[in-house]
């Protein structure tokens, strides 16, 4: 049986991750996982100071208005 980390490292697209995100919510993150996670995205400005893309785990409310200009 594969570990959560091994399963995560097999994921190649954000869409695949999105379908399985709950499996990885409580996973212990390390540098290798963060680097792999970054490959799903082109916009690196969306990452926090630890290199995690928080919106992937806690998406914005789609009904919330965008106030950025």
């Amino acid at each position: 049986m594969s570990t959560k980390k091994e399963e995560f490292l097999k994921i190649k697209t954000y869409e695949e991750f999105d379908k399985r995100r709950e499996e990885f919510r409580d996973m212990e993150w390390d540098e290798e996982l963060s680097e792999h996670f970054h490959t799903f995205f082109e916009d690196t400005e969306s990452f926090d100071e630890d290199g995690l893309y928080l919106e992937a785990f806690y998406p914005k409310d789609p009904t919330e208005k965008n106030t950025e200009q």
Side-chain angles (χ1 to χ4, degrees), residues 7 12 14-15 18-20 22 25-26 29-30 32 36-37 46-49 52-54 57 60-61 65-67:
E7 286 299 311
K12 302 296 180 201
Y14 175 79
E15 290 76 16
D18 192 37
K19 292 176 187 173
R20 300 178 62 191
E22 287 301 317
R25 188 173 294 273
D26 63 348
W29 284 86
D30 63 21
E32 181 181 16
H36 182 67
F37 193 65
S46 298
F47 292 89
D48 73 1
E49 65 276 359
L52 295 179
Y53 187 78
L54 295 179
F57 288 99
K60 290 182 180 177
D61 181 350
K65 292 185 179 181
N66 185 354
T67 57

Side-chain angles (χ1 to χ4, degrees), residues 5-64:
K5 181 175 181 174
E6 291 168 334
E7 286 299 311
F8 183 81
L9 292 173
K10 291 178 187 177
I11 294 175
K12 302 296 180 201
T13 65
Y14 175 79
E15 290 76 16
E16 184 180 355
F17 166 75
D18 192 37
K19 292 176 187 173
R20 300 178 62 191
R21 74 172 62 218
E22 287 301 317
E23 291 178 49
F24 308 112
R25 188 173 294 273
D26 63 348
M27 183 171 58
E28 188 74 30
W29 284 86
D30 63 21
E31 186 175 338
E32 181 181 16
L33 292 172
S34 291
E35 286 176 9
H36 182 67
F37 193 65
H38 282 208
T39 66
F40 303 159
F41 307 94
E42 294 179 17
D43 176 15
T44 57
E45 293 178 13
S46 298
F47 292 89
D48 73 1
E49 65 276 359
D50 295 321
L52 295 179
Y53 187 78
L54 295 179
E55 285 184 38
F57 288 99
Y58 306 103
K60 290 182 180 177
D61 181 350
T63 61
E64 185 178 301

